[in-house]
């Protein structure tokens, strides 16, 4: 059996060709940028008024407090010019600062009488309440480099510089396969001996955090059907993610069928709990991840083995992190123990509290966990206060 560290290395060594694609900006969230983004104009593109009030020449305030109102400069209108510097112009937030003015006084610090604005309190200097042109970026400046993980803020920036379509790293084509005759879909009413499938939905949504839409398929516990379907799936996809059918059961046909179809089994069995029967195989540029069917095993193996592979493939930085145990843990088997934990981020170091559960088949309590703390195989006692590697169950590490 393979150790956790060996397994990670074997999987990461399997590189796949990386391609790019162009998508509409609105569909780029969570994808990885494959082009540099430049400022098409200064940001802001003009001296922008930041408060509703009047614009004046600040130096005039030393001599006078009353300024006759010449005109109104509204947002979305071409720049006006203040004809007399002893006057003022009413201005609205978002408007271009009028020519011959350099400062804005908010209405709250003014009294307006008979068309003249009087400054009632405060001192004002040039550029006050003005977002000066080019403060945030200069035309032609690189705003983002290729490789950025696109978040909503980045989408906003690209919109402001007119990027309608954006080049991103093309995600591999992934199919998620559930197996097992005991499984029915979520819209069905299970018979007493059946359960609804949940793993495929967990995997599908976990992939959405990377902007990846994966299809799902259900395969019956039947050798011929499995062989026929798998052949097609291997032809049509880059990555096959399986949940179930990799252990020792009479109907756990997956390892046998994969072998028959020419998939090279690189890993089958890892010295860990949960997820012992995990399988990893390769055929040309296609990879197969066989996650053991128990829900905690599927999730653990996805986050520990598939996610780092995907992030490396996409060129994303993985945030390796650690957390301190909040209580003593004992685990007396010579395998890595992946403990489901709730992570407390309040202190200077992250703290991990074990989530009580009844084992790797316990889906209900799995939902309470937000991380996996990996306790090493060569230890049996894990004292409170000791630090261990933490894997997040969300994409928090990217934030
Ligand atoms: N004799 C042995 N038996 C088992 C061993 C072993 O080493 N020797 N390993 C155990 C471990 S550890 C695990 S984990 C499971 C893994 O089993 P499989 O990967 O073969 O998965 P299945 O047999 O198909 O199902 C196991 C369990 O998971 C449920 N399941 C499967 N798919 C889904 C899904 N999409 N949604 C929800 N639940 C799912 C399934 O109903 C079973 O209860 O094997 C142990 N046995
Ligand atoms: O290791 Mo299994 O994955 O215990 O449930
Ligand atoms: Mg089984």
């Amino acid at each position: 059996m393979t150790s956790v560290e060996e397994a990670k290395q074997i999987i990461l060594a399997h590189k796949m060709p990386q391609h790019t694609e162009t998508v509409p900006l609105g569909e780029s969230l969570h994808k990885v940028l494959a082009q540099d983004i430049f400022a098409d104009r200064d940001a802001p593109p003009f001296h922008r008024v930041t408060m509703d009030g009047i614009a004046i020449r600040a130096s005039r305030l030393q001599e006078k407090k009353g300024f006759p109102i010449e005109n109104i400069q509204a947002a979305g209108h071409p720049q006006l010019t203040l004809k007399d510097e002893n006057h003022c112009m009413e201005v609205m937030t978002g408007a271009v600062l009028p020519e011959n003015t350099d400062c804005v006084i908010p209405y709250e610090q003014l009294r307006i009488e008979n068309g003249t604005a009087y400054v009632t309190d405060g001192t004002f200097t040039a550029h006050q309440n003005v977002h000066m042109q080019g403060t945030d970026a200069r035309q032609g400046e690189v705003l983002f480099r290729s490789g950025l993980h696109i978040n909503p803020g980045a989408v906003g920036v690209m919109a402001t510089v007119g990027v309608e379509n954006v080049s991103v790293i093309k995600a591999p084509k992934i199919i998620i396969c559930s197996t097992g005759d005991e499984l029915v879909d979520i819209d069905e009413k299970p018979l007493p001996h059946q359960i609804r499938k949940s793993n495929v939905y967990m995997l599908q949504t976990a992939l959405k955090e990377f902007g990846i839409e994966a299809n799902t398929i259900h395969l019956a516990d039947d050798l011929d059907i499995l062989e026929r379907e798998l052949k097609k799936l291997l032809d049509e996809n880059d990555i096959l993610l399986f949940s179930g059918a990799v252990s020792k059961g009479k109907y756990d046909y997956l390892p046998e069928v994969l072998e028959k179809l020419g998939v090279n089994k690189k890993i089958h069995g890892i010295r860990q709990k949960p997820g012992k029967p995990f399988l990893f195989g390769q055929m040309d540029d296609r990879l197969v991840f066989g996650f053991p069917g128990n829900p905690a095993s599927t999730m653990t193996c996805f986050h520990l083995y598939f996610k780092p592979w995907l992030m490396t493939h996409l060129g994303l930085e993985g945030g390796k992190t650690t957390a301190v145990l909040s209580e003593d843990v004992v685990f007396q088997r010579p395998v890595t123990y992946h403990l489901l934990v709730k992570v407390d981020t309040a202190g200077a170091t992250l703290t991990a509290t074990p989530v009580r559960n009844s084992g790797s088949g316990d889906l209900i309590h799995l939902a309470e966990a937000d991380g996996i703390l990996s306790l090493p195989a060569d230890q049996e006692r894990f004292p409170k206060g000791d630090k261990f590697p933490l894997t997040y169950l969300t994409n928090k590490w990217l934030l």
Side-chain angles (χ1 to χ4, degrees), residues 272-277 292 294 297 360:
Q272 63 181 4
K273 173 108 192 117
K276 182 180 94 180
N294 278 325
S297 315
S360 52

Side-chain angles (χ1 to χ4, degrees), residues 286-357:
R286 276 146 295 164
L287 300 179
V288 177
F289 291 77
F291 304 131
N294 278 325
S297 315
T298 291
M299 272 322 256
T300 300
C301 291
F302 173 88
H303 287 282
L304 280 166
Y305 304 110
F306 179 68
K307 201 166 69 178
W309 178 88
L310 180 67
M311 290 183 68
T312 306
H313 175 72
L314 295 175
L316 290 169
E317 291 276 321
K320 280 214 171 108
T321 187
T322 53
V324 162
L325 259 180
S326 70
E327 57 188 69
D328 292 343
V329 173
V330 176
F331 184 69
Q332 291 171 311
R333 278 173 51 190
V335 303
T336 302
Y337 184 33
H338 302 300
L339 186 65
L340 289 171
V341 292
K342 187 103 201 114
V343 182
D344 182 355
T345 55
T349 45
L350 300 177
T351 307
T353 301
V355 169
R356 306 275 160 233
N357 64 85

